[in-house]
Amino acid sequence: MRRLADAVTETGLRRREDVLRVAVWRLDSGVPADPGLLLAASDRARVVRDLDLAARLARAAVEAGGGAPALTSLGAVLFYADRHDEAEEAFARAWAMDMDEEQRTHCGAHRAFNLFWGLGRVEAAFAVMDEVQRAAAGAPALQGVRGTRAALDLFAGDLEAARARWESLGEFADRRAVLAGASILTRLRYTEARLAECLAAVDAATAELAKEPHRLPSMSSAVYEAAAQAYLLAGDLDAADRYIATGYRLDEDFGSWPRVTIMFGSIEAQALRLRGRVADSLDRARHAVSRLRGRSVFAGLCLGELAHAHALLGEADAAEAALARAETVGMPVGPPVVVPLRRARIWTLAARGDIAGAVRAALELAEEGLPCDLPPTLHDVVRLGRPDLVAGRLAALPAEGDLIPVLVRHAHARDGAALDAVSRDFERLGFLLYAAEAGAQAAAAHRREGRQRAARAAETRAWRLARRCQGARTIALVDLDMPDLTPRQREIALLAAQGLTNRDIAARLFLSVRTVANTLAAVYEKTGVNDRTALGELLKSL
């Protein structure tokens, strides 16, 4: 191993993995360790998420006299391995040592991340960043401090502070700083619901990430998460799915990394829920929950989606259990991990039959929510049957993307025809649960207007959409009636849908043409459709 290490070192360590190979060979061969080599190798192992090896190399660097830089590296590895108490111990040891400005900034940023996202100690994380800022004098160090604090402020829900710190960053010194800034900017613009700017920043960031040989998985995951969430809010479910799949590949590319599985599993559960695939959403959320290791900041994401899916399926007890578990294992450090739980609570109340309580909970969340949370939360009130309370606020929102304008029209639709159109718009976007609910509301509106045929057509269409929502039982859907055809009516309807004329059907079934015509008229009246093509589409779903 020593001879191999010497030979590869003589080549100049040209390949990316050479430093890792040489460090391991020298460590395993008993050669006195070089802390610099061990730290470089640990950093490389951390980048590719071989966290066990990265921790071994960092500990060896500490034992070899690597001092505060080695302890900082060890703490960072332990943070990514979700061993947060051990990470804080390493950071605290480093913090007590003498460090130059760059080292203290680096240590402080990692320690604050661990305190905030690992241990849920928000105030302690902010105190560390304040101390680092007082010690930082050089422009690069100050930029790093402000960028880190902007990320923490943003996740904590202090949008104004995050925006101010972002605007103070200025020009970035190198590509890593550019990418760190991009990961903040994409999340900032999404949180502000400035979707076009968010997605433009995502495109720029992904182009830069493609040039980065080490891929920088933490920054990549932040960019992909913002992209997926922005596309969901914009109403482009297919684009969101692409970024969710890209986020999942980070786990495949970098070994076992539960954090990205939990994060992107939760976003996928959300996307499936929006598509109306509620049972599939439940399964995906369960898988994400299974990756939790004790207490976690990200528990609110997956348990929120789990509770939400249970509630939409009418399983209020299971939803309550998921919410109770979140109180035990979650860390409510900011809106991204709190809002999913609060929205799940809205629909859990509705599943219990407490519609007034659900509306109150939604309105309270809308008063406190960030811009990105407002459209879906206000729309919850519309879905719960009180559009009059939120129509004005929805109309005042920036109408970016295809979804928000439909949410606004839903809030303002009062007659059956307008609600029919909204239902079709939701279906066109792929939001089948919303489409079914708007269709059911259209049926009720037509009935109030005395248009029974139109009411039956809307009800039939809503029922057909609801059947694709895997058992969803929201307030709008619970009273939907299934088109009730007799065996003879179904038989004649099937033949008509195949294109047979009334005379052909009469001959085949030994009936009179008048009987066939009268039976089809009754079928059309029951289902609300008025021609053979529409009847065929309906019968496919029965």
Side-chain angles (χ1 to χ4, degrees), residues 302-430:
C302 53
L303 286 166
E305 284 302 326
L306 183 68
H308 203 144
H310 275 305
L312 293 180
L313 291 167
E315 300 165 356
D317 289 343
E320 291 281 7
L323 293 172
R325 183 176 176 187
E327 291 183 7
T328 302
V329 302
M331 299 179 188
V333 299
V337 294
V338 171
V339 169
L341 295 169
R342 294 186 66 178
R343 287 198 66 208
R345 171 62 65 185
I346 293 167
W347 289 98
T348 302
L349 288 168
R352 291 284 189 207
D354 185 2
I355 305 304
V359 169
R360 282 196 302 273
L363 292 174
E364 288 169 4
L365 178 55
E367 287 300 318
E368 303 163 14
L370 295 170
C372 61
D373 301 320
L374 283 179
T377 303
L378 292 172
H379 187 240
D380 282 346
V381 179
V382 179
R383 295 169 62 203
L384 290 165
R386 292 302 309 272
D388 54 301
L389 299 177
V390 296
R393 290 192 65 185
L394 267 170
L397 297 178
E400 293 200 42
D402 293 329
L403 176 61
I404 294 176
V406 184
L407 303 184
V408 173
R409 289 200 298 277
H410 192 187
H412 285 82
R414 295 293 183 268
D415 60 69
L419 286 163
D420 278 333
V422 166
S423 177
R424 291 189 175 88
D425 285 339
F426 279 135
E427 184 179 15
R428 174 178 54 82
L429 292 175

Side-chain angles (χ1 to χ4, degrees), residues 13-28:
L13 304 176
R14 293 191 304 264
R15 294 167 298 186
R16 277 194 309 230
E17 307 303 330
D18 282 350
V19 66
L20 193 54
R21 294 188 183 96
V22 169
V24 172
W25 286 334
R26 294 202 186 283
L27 188 61
D28 288 345

Side-chain angles (χ1 to χ4, degrees), residues 458-505:
E459 190 171 53
T460 298
R461 183 172 175 279
W463 180 83
R464 175 175 58 80
L465 289 166
R467 277 184 48 107
R468 298 166 63 187
C469 293
Q470 301 179 330
R473 290 180 56 80
T474 64
I475 179 177
L477 302 181
V478 71
D479 291 328
L480 273 182
D481 290 328
M482 180 182 74
D484 184 18
L485 303 181
T486 67
R488 175 64 82 183
Q489 288 171 337
R490 183 184 290 268
E491 184 178 31
I492 291 175
L494 286 169
L495 293 172
Q498 294 171 25
L500 275 68
T501 66
N502 289 2
R503 188 171 297 279
D504 293 335
I505 297 171

Side-chain angles (χ1 to χ4, degrees), residues 61-91:
V62 172
E63 293 168 3
L71 284 164
T72 297
S73 182
L74 176 60
V77 172
L78 294 170
F79 165 68
Y80 287 112
D82 295 327
R83 295 161 62 180
H84 303 296
D85 289 320
E86 295 175 67
E88 169 58 14
E89 182 181 343
F91 288 132

